[in-house]
Amino acid sequence: MAFRRRNKSYAFFSQEFLIQNHADIVFSLVIFILIGLMFEATAKTAIVFIQPQYNISILSTEGEVTLYHYGWKDCGTILFYLFITIILHAVVQEYVLDKVNRRLHLSKSKNTKFNESGQLCVFYLVSSIWSLYVLCTEGHLLHPSSLWENYPHVHLRFQVKFFYLTQLAYWLHAIPELYFQKVRKEEIPRQLQYITLYLLHIMAAYLLNLTRVGLVLLFLQYVSELGFHISRLFYFTDENHHKMFDLWAVGFVCTRMVTLTLMFLAVGFGLSRAEDQNLDWEAGNFNTVFIRMTVLFLVCFTQSWLLWKFIRFQLRRWREFRLEQAARKRAAAKQNPSRSLKRDSVGHHENGLVKAENGTSPRLKKIKAP
């Protein structure tokens, strides 16, 4: 199974060989794990990588329900779906983005940003729809108080746990992709910033049993970022598309305000009214004043940083727009120079007639055509 066209062969295990064939190598590892399911001696080990672990059965009004909690075996599941994500990344790059790039003929810098936005658009679209579906089926949209009631939310349904595991797998896979995609050195710090922030926030929500609040925040963030990257893709195809950035700007500010309001409502007020506010590792209760303040500070700091970057981005766009308008006016002035009225020692010319300046003679003399 070849994901990329290879015009040149490289030495085995060289840097270029790994970059060109990394998807094929990872695909072989996935097949190797799947083959382990076929044999009884290795099936128990292989299932750790494929299926979420730590499930328990609970009797409820709906009957017997299977719920999950987290543990160290989740690392194996995250690793397996990290491999799956690398394969899907290569498929999208090869069969969608590379074909579009060949038609657009973008520069190297724009090509890198186009690939980044294309990959993130696919991920944000799938994740936003998935998170919205989970929120609707879990009933959190119709009952917002369920975001903090009955904390700690230790036991998760399959779809909630699987969602968090795949989110961690995706953002972890983005780190080696910086090497595989040969991202420019100037772009690496910027991409590492948001990758680290996503990993930090998702892991905090997962490990502190704040998965319900985390689902809502991820949905809001993904919808906002989806709008930005769609706007950037349209801008690369046609640089006259600026209005979509204005729509995204409104949505970005609204997302920041809703995020901060929700965090203060759920963590600042909801969890602070809970009866049990003692740290209990075994029960998964992290509802203490210090942890609540730390979570609020982390979210508020991140939202403030995003707003600061947003304001800088808008000011830079405004300056570029003003400079562009000034350049257009100068170009128009050079192409259409204003015709000044000619003057001579007797008077001045108007419509081919010489008019006296002192007003003594009302007669106008016709100028002979040259």
Side-chain angles (χ1 to χ4, degrees):
M1 181 176 181
F3 289 102
R4 294 183 179 275
R5 298 179 179 89
R6 299 168 181 81
N7 299 323
K8 184 179 179 180
S9 59
Y10 299 96
F12 284 102
F13 302 110
S14 64
Q15 180 178 355
E16 291 297 330
F17 177 84
L18 292 176
I19 293 174
Q20 291 290 335
N21 301 276
H22 72 275
D24 295 329
I25 295 172
V26 171
F27 183 77
S28 301
L29 293 175
V30 171
I31 294 299
F32 178 77
I33 294 174
L34 293 176
I35 290 176
L37 293 173
M38 302 172 60
F39 303 98
E40 185 178 358
T42 57
K44 292 183 179 181
T45 303
I47 203 66
V48 173
F49 293 93
I50 301 171
Q51 181 179 337
Q53 303 298 303
Y54 304 104
N55 58 314
I56 57 173
S57 297
I58 298 177
L59 292 176
S60 65
T61 56
E62 302 175 357
E64 187 175 358
V65 180
T66 302
L67 300 177
Y68 296 81
H69 59 92
Y70 63 80
W72 66 269
K73 290 183 180 179
D74 291 340
C75 297
T77 310
I78 293 173
L79 179 63
F80 178 79
Y81 288 99
L82 184 149
F83 293 158
I84 298 294
T85 309
I86 291 177
I87 296 172
L88 294 177
H89 186 114
V91 170
V92 173
Q93 185 68 41
E94 173 66 21
Y95 295 103
V96 180
L97 298 179
D98 286 350
K99 291 183 178 180
V100 177
N101 282 331
R102 285 192 289 268
R103 293 184 179 182
L104 294 178
H105 304 289
L106 299 174
S107 62
K108 188 174 181 180
S109 60
K110 288 186 177 181
N111 186 28
T112 302
K113 294 182 179 179
F114 182 87
N115 291 334
E116 177 192 3
S117 293
Q119 294 285 351
L120 289 175
C121 273
V122 175
F123 171 73
Y124 287 143
L125 179 62
V126 174
S127 296
S128 58
I129 295 175
W130 189 2
S131 59
L132 179 61
Y133 172 79
V134 173
L135 288 171
C136 292
T137 55
E138 294 291 322
H140 300 321
L141 291 181
L142 298 178
H143 302 89
S145 60
S146 64
L147 298 177
W148 61 83
E149 289 180 348
N150 301 322
Y151 181 86
H153 308 135
V154 178
H155 298 120
L156 310 173
R157 293 183 182 271
F158 174 83
Q159 60 181 0
V160 178
K161 177 165 183 174
F162 190 64
F163 175 82
Y164 272 93
L165 294 181
T166 52
Q167 294 297 307
L168 291 171
Y170 180 86
W171 291 113
L172 285 172
H173 114 280
I175 298 176
E177 283 294 342
L178 297 176
Y179 171 75
F180 294 143
Q181 297 298 323
K182 294 183 177 180
V183 177
R184 296 188 308 166
K185 292 182 179 180
E186 306 86 53
E187 292 289 327
I188 290 178
R190 179 185 63 83
Q191 295 192 28
L192 279 177
Q193 282 180 350
Y194 68 76
I195 291 172
T196 305
L197 285 175
Y198 273 117
L199 285 173
L200 180 62
H201 285 73
I202 295 173
M203 288 181 64
Y206 186 63
L207 298 177
L208 297 177
N209 296 316
L210 295 171
T211 51
R212 298 180 183 180
V213 179
L215 274 172
V216 181
L217 297 183
L218 284 176
F219 169 73
L220 295 173
Q221 177 66 20
Y222 287 164
V223 171
S224 175
E225 290 299 304
L226 177 63
F228 171 75
H229 288 285
I230 289 177
S231 302
R232 193 158 75 163
L233 288 178
F234 276 100
Y235 175 77
F236 287 144
T237 56
D238 186 358
E239 294 188 355
N240 294 323
H241 287 116
H242 292 284
K243 293 184 178 180
M244 294 191 68
F245 281 110
D246 298 332
L247 295 175
W248 163 75
V250 176
F252 180 88
V253 176
C254 293
T255 301
R256 304 284 79 78
M257 297 300 103
V258 174
T259 299
L260 291 173
T261 303
L262 179 63
M263 282 302 298
F264 278 102
L265 179 64
V267 179
F269 294 97
L271 292 181
S272 63
R273 298 172 61 184
E275 296 181 359
D276 188 4
Q277 297 191 19
N278 297 317
L279 181 63
D280 190 347
W281 292 89
E282 294 183 359
N285 186 8
F286 300 97
N287 186 15
T288 63
V289 175
F290 175 76
I291 294 178
R292 287 201 308 270
M293 293 299 103
T294 303
V295 171
L296 284 174
F297 172 78
L298 175 63
V299 175
C300 291
F301 175 79
T302 304
Q303 300 305 309
S304 302
W305 180 72
L306 291 174
L307 279 173
W308 176 68
K309 286 187 62 180
F310 171 78
I311 294 172
R312 289 184 59 191
F313 174 74
Q314 294 299 325
L315 290 176
R316 185 172 67 251
R317 280 189 62 207
W318 180 74
R319 286 194 297 266
E320 291 175 354
F321 177 76
R322 292 294 298 273
L323 292 174
E324 184 180 354
Q325 291 294 101
R328 288 181 179 177
K329 289 181 179 180
R330 288 195 298 268
K334 290 180 180 179
Q335 292 178 359
N336 300 315
S338 59
R339 297 179 179 179
S340 59
L341 297 176
K342 298 180 180 179
R343 296 178 178 270
D344 57 8
S345 59
V346 178
H348 62 276
H349 301 161
E350 281 189 6
N351 297 326
L353 301 176
V354 176
K355 187 174 181 179
E357 291 186 347
N358 54 11
T360 56
S361 176
R363 293 185 178 182
L364 298 175
K365 298 180 179 181
K366 187 74 175 180
I367 299 178
K368 294 182 180 181

